[in-house]
């Protein structure tokens, strides 16, 4: 009899696991309460990057004269932008739906929860269906964290879910939180022409990132007139008509037309019947998992944001794939464990920021000897041709073996270029493998080879 695999949540983790497991011969049922594709398609990765792409096109027009063009002016049309985002999201969702159907995955539109270790209930508009399962995957994602000092109203006090796009273009947006999501929104709305204030609780934006990388971004923000409130924690938000005021713990106040909360997320684990199945959760509501993504109940897996690992769509998808292999018993042969330390990530600001593998600061903190080589894009012919020579490539390698351990890129197309270093890190390549690759000229990737020298 085929393995009965029930999945709750159809985001990147759930739908990837469903596709692979079905391909490997499982009988897969996927329960999704909203849309397959998940928050990633509806609110997070895709809408945010679509808006950033439009902001990027506007920035390009502002730089037109540096490219030998007459002055260009672009005006934002919110309705067209809204249609564009919906169009991209629908296109991607249709693709995922067709893929699932082509693999024979049964999709139930409804809410899923465990009622026992091997039994899942789907609540749909037609009633309740009980499903027996040999293996279960919980992949219900997360939602924006809302602090007790602020009540979002969806009009002027916004979470990230209200921002694609917001009801109107903010005249002045106050962004609370300077992690990856916060800085992407600062970039997006300042590209659209909104005034922006960013509340930064520490002394640098992107506190988890390399100081040099964060400094490059801060320079760009200041150049664009973004106000930075460093070392300030927001502790209250008030709305008075069209005006919002954010109070900070150091006595400062930031005023604007809108405020956007970007202070992290919380897992959707409350209504999953975890107790009924004996699955442990940690104090933050995440489901702890082992290296096979198994929860404390071994045939119940958790993945994506719910698992409390790196909250990235790419990581969620890869977990889904590894889980499918494990459920179908393939881990004993070709399976490689997922190494979260080798996940590439990007921040879609201007300049773009991307990194992978070992960070310089972590190497110094652990006393590990490393070789750091860095090349600025101002030395790249292609960056000059493209009219944007900001940023640099940094490669971190082992000084004795030449093995590539990590790297960061700040600059145009960093999110694409980091793939070369990510591949080198995953495949244990050496700097000479990059140096001796015959690359295209002129191309931004040449800076990678130069940095690897
Ligand atoms: C603003 C923003 C931008 C981001 N940009 C990027 C990016 O550029 N790149 C990147 O890699 N990551 C990005 N992320 C992170 C990324 O969106 C998440 O890591 C990813 O969506 C997690 O995938 P998931 O499968 O765990 O969950 P989700 O994508 O959240 O999917 C979970 C699904 O489960 C469903 N669900 C929940 N409860 C139930 C239930 N009881 N029954 C049935 N269905 C249920 C939900 O409806 C949802 O469809 C971004 C996040 C944010 C907030």
């Amino acid at each position: 009899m085929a393995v009965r695999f029930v999945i709750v949540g159809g985001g990147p983790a759930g739908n990837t696991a469903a596709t692979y497991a079905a391909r490997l011969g499982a009988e897969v049922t996927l329960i999704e309460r909203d849309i397959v594709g998940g928050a990633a398609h509806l609110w997070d990765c895709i809408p945010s990057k679509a808006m950033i792409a439009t902001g990027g096109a506007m920035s390009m027009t502002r730089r037109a004269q540096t490219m030998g063009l007459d002055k260009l002016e672009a005006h934002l049309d919110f309705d067209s932008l809204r249609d564009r985002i919906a169009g991209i999201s629908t296109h991607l969702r249709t693709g995922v739906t067709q893929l699932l159907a082509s693999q024979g995955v049964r999709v139930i539109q409804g809410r899923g929860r465990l009622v026992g270790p091997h039994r899942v209930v789907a609540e749909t508009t037609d009633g309740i269906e009980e499903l027996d399962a040999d293996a279960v995957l919980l992949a219900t994602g997360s939602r924006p964290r809302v602090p007790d000092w602020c009540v979002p109203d969806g009009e002027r006090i916004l979470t990230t879910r209200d921002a694609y796009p917001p009801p109107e273009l903010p005249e002045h947006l106050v962004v609370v939180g300077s992690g990856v999501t916060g800085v992407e929104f600062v970039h997006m709305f300042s590209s659209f022409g909104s005034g922006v204030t960013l509340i930064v609780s520490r002394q640098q934006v992107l506190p988890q990132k390399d100081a040099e990388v964060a400094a490059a971004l801060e320079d760009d923000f200041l150049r664009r007139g973004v106000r930075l409130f460093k070392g300030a924690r927001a502790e209250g938000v008030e709305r008075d008509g069209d005006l919002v005021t954010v109070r900070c713990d150091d006595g400062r106040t930031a005023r604007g037309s809108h405020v956007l909360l970007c202070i992290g997320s919380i897992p959707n684990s409350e209504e999953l019947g975890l107790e009924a199945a004996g699955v442990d959760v940690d104090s933050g509501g995440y489901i702890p998992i082992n290296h096979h993504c198994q929860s404390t109940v071994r045939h119940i897996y958790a993945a994506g944001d719910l698992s409390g690992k790196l909250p990235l769509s790419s990581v969620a998808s890869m977990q889904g794939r590894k889980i499918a292999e494990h459920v179908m018993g393939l881990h004993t042969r070709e399976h490689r464990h997922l190494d979260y330390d080798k996940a590439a990530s990007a921040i879609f600001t201007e300049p773009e920021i991307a990194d992978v593998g070992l960070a310089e600061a972590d190497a110094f903190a652990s006393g590990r000897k490393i070789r750091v080589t860095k090349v600025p894009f101002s030395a790249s012919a292609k960056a000059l041709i493209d009219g944007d020579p900001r940023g640099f490539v940094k490669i971190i390698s082992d000084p004795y073996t030449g093995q590539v351990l990590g790297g960061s890129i700040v600059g145009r197309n960093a999110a694409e270029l980091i793939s070369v270093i990510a591949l080198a890190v995953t495949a244990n390549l050496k700097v000479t493998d990059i140096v001796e690759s015959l690359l295209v000229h002129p191309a931004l990737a040449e800076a990678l080879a130069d940095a690897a020298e």
Side-chain angles (χ1 to χ4, degrees):
M1 198 170 87
V3 174
R4 293 163 303 175
F5 186 26
V6 177
I7 299 172
V8 185
N15 73 59
T16 308
T19 312
Y20 276 92
R23 202 172 280 165
L24 294 170
E27 182 190 302
V28 183
T29 307
L30 173 65
I31 309 168
E32 168 55 53
R33 66 175 183 198
D34 290 330
I35 63 157
V36 290
H41 283 182
L42 203 53
W43 290 299
D44 299 344
C45 320
I46 304 304
S48 66
K49 267 75 254 183
M51 281 177 55
I52 286 171
T54 297
M58 290 185 75
S59 300
M60 280 295 286
T61 62
R62 285 188 205 112
R63 288 208 306 271
Q65 284 162 303
T66 65
M67 301 292 286
L69 297 170
D70 286 342
K71 196 166 180 239
L72 289 177
E73 280 197 33
H75 299 284
L76 189 63
D77 176 347
F78 250 33
D79 289 333
S80 308
L81 177 57
R82 203 169 278 119
D83 290 347
R84 179 175 139 76
I85 295 169
I88 296 169
S89 180
T90 306
H91 182 84
L92 292 171
R93 185 195 323 166
T94 307
V96 175
T97 307
Q98 286 169 347
L99 184 60
L100 291 168
S102 71
Q103 300 303 315
V105 174
R106 179 175 174 226
V107 177
I108 299 179
Q109 179 81 43
R111 267 174 197 277
R113 80 187 141 81
L114 291 157
V115 287
H118 285 280
R119 185 157 281 210
V120 180
V121 150
E123 286 175 36
T124 71
T125 47
D126 297 331
I128 284 185
E129 184 176 347
E130 294 211 357
L131 301 153
D132 290 320
D134 301 307
V136 176
L137 166 59
L138 302 172
T140 49
S142 62
R143 59 187 185 276
R145 190 165 82 76
V146 177
D148 53 11
W149 42 262
C150 178
V151 182
D153 61 11
E155 284 181 12
R156 288 183 178 264
I157 303 177
L158 311 170
T159 72
T160 56
R161 302 238 156 141
D162 308 309
Y164 299 122
E168 60 203 343
L169 182 66
E171 192 183 322
H172 192 105
L173 181 69
V174 181
V175 176
V176 179
S178 65
V180 174
T181 311
V183 299
E184 285 192 348
F185 277 105
V186 170
H187 161 58
M188 185 192 300
F189 283 99
S190 64
S191 306
F192 289 158
S194 297
V196 181
T197 299
L198 176 62
I199 314 277
V200 185
S201 61
R202 312 256 184 98
Q203 288 305 324
Q204 102 174 22
V205 301
L206 297 172
Q208 278 83 25
K209 294 282 172 191
D210 186 310
E212 208 172 357
V213 168
L217 187 61
E218 284 184 19
D219 282 351
D220 177 68
F221 283 172
L222 293 173
R223 189 183 53 76
R224 296 179 193 211
V226 173
R227 293 173 68 203
L228 299 179
F229 274 32
K230 285 192 176 180
R233 277 181 182 277
E235 58 176 21
V237 174
E238 274 112 44
R239 177 176 171 183
D240 182 8
D242 291 348
L243 193 73
V244 292
T245 305
V246 180
R247 270 185 295 108
C248 299
D249 62 351
D250 62 355
R252 280 183 284 179
T253 54
R255 290 203 173 77
S257 59
H258 296 73
V259 59
L260 176 64
L261 298 171
C262 296
I263 52 170
S265 57
I266 53 169
N268 295 324
S269 59
E270 297 92 343
E271 292 166 3
L272 290 178
L274 300 176
E275 261 182 42
V279 174
D280 283 356
V281 277
D282 68 16
S283 56
Y286 296 96
I287 299 182
I289 53 169
N290 66 12
H291 57 277
H292 289 306
C293 300
Q294 293 168 293
S295 72
T296 43
V297 179
R298 294 302 182 224
H299 68 279
I300 301 180
Y301 299 76
D305 288 4
L306 184 65
S307 68
K309 298 289 181 188
L310 283 177
L312 289 173
S313 180
S314 47
V315 169
S317 301
M318 190 57 82
Q319 285 178 317
R321 185 186 168 132
K322 297 282 175 192
I323 289 167
E325 289 176 357
H326 195 255
V327 165
M328 298 308 287
L330 285 196
H331 59 287
T332 48
R333 282 185 273 144
E334 294 159 15
H335 189 93
R336 270 197 291 185
H337 293 324
L338 214 167
D339 187 346
Y340 298 96
D341 291 337
K342 292 182 177 173
S345 68
I347 307 174
F348 292 82
T349 43
E350 204 182 289
E352 239 168 56
I353 294 169
D355 54 26
V356 67
L358 186 67
E360 208 177 341
D362 293 340
F364 285 129
S366 68
R368 176 167 188 172
K369 283 208 163 49
I370 52 169
R371 176 173 177 257
V372 181
T373 41
K374 185 178 156 193
V375 163
F377 277 117
S378 55
S380 153
K382 185 66 164 70
L384 292 168
I385 291 166
D386 289 346
D388 191 356
R390 288 174 289 179
F392 55 84
V393 175
K394 197 191 263 189
I395 292 184
I396 295 167
S397 58
D398 185 294
Y400 308 110
T401 64
Q403 191 181 332
V404 180
L405 303 172
S408 1
I409 303 178
V410 174
R412 208 171 144 72
N413 291 345
E416 305 288 343
L417 294 172
I418 200 73
S419 313
V420 175
I421 308 180
L423 178 65
V425 168
T426 301
N428 299 324
L429 300 183
K430 299 189 170 163
V431 278
T432 44
D433 293 315
I434 300 180
V435 173
E436 291 174 9
S437 300
L438 282 170
L439 301 176
V440 169
H441 174 76
L444 294 175
E446 289 174 302
L448 295 173
D450 293 342
E453 272 291 357

